[in-house]
Amino acid sequence: MEIIDGYKGVAHVKASQVGLHHQGLIGPDSYILNNGNNLSYQIISGNKIRILDGIIVVQGRRGCIEPGFYEELVIENGSQGEYRKDIIAIQYSKTSDTGIESFDLVVVKGTPATDTPALPELTFADINSGGMLHQEALYVVTISDAAITSVEGQLETLCSVADMVELDGSYDGKKAGWLKKLGGRVFAHAHARTVLWSGTTTLYSKLTEVINSISAHKSSSDHDGRYYTESEIDAKLNGKANSSHNHDSLYYKKADVDKKFIPAKVNFTTNPASFVATSNISYSCANIATINMYIKSGSNVMANNNDLLVGVLSVAPINETLISIHDDAEKALMLGRIKTDGSIVVKARNLEGERYLIINASFAFSS
């Protein structure tokens, strides 16, 4: 065991020890620390990008561009009709003879392609295990034809300790996490690498498993058998009628059908000067009227040979209709007519006294 933060009488703190300390405190990978312009970029021209000030940590080794300074990198021009992806990388290097370590910003050029260009390969190494050269992607630059079309950041910017507010919570009596705040982002960060999910599985491992499963599911093509594609839906709908389409001009509506086939009562108004309706069971259906009436006449009203108005129906025949009218007492048959105004007229036959007439008839009428 070797002491780091203690007086030994000689210079003894090593760069590797500081790097290990930073990895334990900040994290094992590479990050941008929240300071200054956070190594943000500016596109200066069609082939030049400026990296502003900020601090980076690569496997525990810190590097910076100081406030008020910047570095400019030249991106090689592309060719017409081609695409290319270059990487702006933080390059760590260590000389074998002196052990001197350094950081540099470099551009790793990709291979041009006419459709989807691939990312160039970087050199990776474990610095704390003696690696001499390591490249960490800071930005991916896409070049289309002869112009820079996009610049995509590759590293997470961490918040400072001052931006952390301790969050109450416990897991087996221990602190469960932090509330981390950076700008407008507020999120909870649990000690996922140490908190157990189940058995010996950590929360971090479980979350990684879930994220990988979701990513695999989103990128897989196993949905095609379960859902119709847009073109398939369009093809099926093309054979269907629009919602505004109707057949009103070809078919009867329900109300029209009901009107034609549901029987409706036919009313009859007698001529009060001569007759009294004792019974009227008359209906119409589908523009056909059926008349069944029992009519009583006044005394000696029919003791002549005249045409007598019996009464008026609520519907009228299309054409004047001849009907037979029976005298219930004499069993005599008389001629009658239903006129186009709905009136019923009977030809009297010199029948004295009160008469009881039976009228049965059917006729067509217009709506």
Side-chain angles (χ1 to χ4, degrees), residues 334-347:
M334 291 170 284
L335 182 64
R337 289 173 293 152
I338 304 177
K339 296 184 176 182
T340 55
D341 62 357
S343 60
I344 298 178
V345 176
V346 63
K347 184 73 171 178

Side-chain angles (χ1 to χ4, degrees), residues 60-309:
R61 300 301 199 270
R62 292 174 297 170
C64 76
I65 298 176
E66 294 188 2
F69 291 85
Y70 57 83
E71 292 190 27
E72 290 184 350
L73 300 165
V74 175
I75 306 297
E76 185 176 318
N77 288 331
S79 301
Q80 192 68 28
E82 291 185 337
Y83 302 89
R84 195 179 78 240
K85 286 185 181 293
D86 293 354
I87 293 178
I88 296 177
I90 307 292
Q91 180 169 286
Y92 164 88
S93 59
K94 181 179 181 180
T95 58
S96 58
D97 54 347
T98 64
I100 294 176
E101 300 170 287
S102 62
F103 271 152
D104 294 288
L105 281 172
V106 297
V107 177
V108 182
K109 181 183 174 183
T111 302
T114 56
D115 46 18
T116 305
L119 288 171
E121 292 186 1
L122 300 181
T123 299
F124 298 104
D126 185 346
I127 296 174
N128 292 310
S129 296
M132 306 297 286
L133 182 67
H134 174 77
Q135 293 173 327
E136 192 71 45
L138 180 62
Y139 290 106
V140 171
V141 181
T142 301
I143 301 96
S144 175
D145 296 330
I148 297 172
T149 56
S150 70
V151 180
E152 301 171 83
Q154 303 298 300
L155 295 180
E156 179 184 2
T157 299
L158 300 182
C159 62
S160 66
V161 175
D163 287 325
M164 294 183 182
V165 179
E166 191 171 352
L167 176 67
D168 288 337
S170 62
Y171 187 87
D172 292 338
K174 299 179 181 179
K175 291 294 182 183
W178 301 85
L179 182 66
K180 298 173 65 179
K181 178 179 67 177
L182 176 59
R185 295 178 59 195
V186 178
F187 56 94
H189 174 65
H191 295 295
R193 294 182 182 273
T194 57
V195 173
L196 295 179
W197 170 265
S198 176
T200 58
T201 302
T202 64
L203 178 60
Y204 177 83
S205 298
K206 189 63 179 179
L207 289 174
T208 301
E209 176 188 338
V210 171
I211 291 170
N212 290 339
S213 297
I214 292 174
S215 298
H217 182 69
K218 287 171 62 179
S219 61
S220 67
S221 59
D222 63 351
H223 306 86
D224 292 348
R226 297 164 55 193
Y227 305 102
Y228 285 114
T229 63
E230 181 181 358
S231 59
E232 289 172 333
I233 290 292
D234 289 343
K236 290 182 179 294
L237 291 178
N238 283 338
K240 305 300 180 182
N242 294 330
S243 59
S244 59
H245 178 76
N246 62 68
H247 301 274
D248 289 350
S249 60
L250 300 177
Y251 305 102
Y252 285 117
K253 296 180 181 178
K254 180 179 182 298
D256 296 330
V257 173
D258 290 345
K259 184 177 180 181
K260 290 181 178 295
F261 291 101
I262 296 178
K265 183 175 177 60
V266 175
N267 296 317
F268 178 70
T269 303
T270 56
N271 176 9
S274 304
F275 296 92
V276 176
T278 60
S279 176
N280 174 28
I281 307 175
S282 302
Y283 292 92
S284 66
C285 183
N287 286 29
I288 300 295
T290 300
I291 308 302
N292 297 283
M293 292 186 293
Y294 195 63
I295 307 295
K296 176 185 176 182
S297 73
S299 179
N300 295 324
V301 167
M302 301 190 67
N304 55 67
N305 290 313
N306 300 329
D307 285 342
L308 301 176
L309 175 63

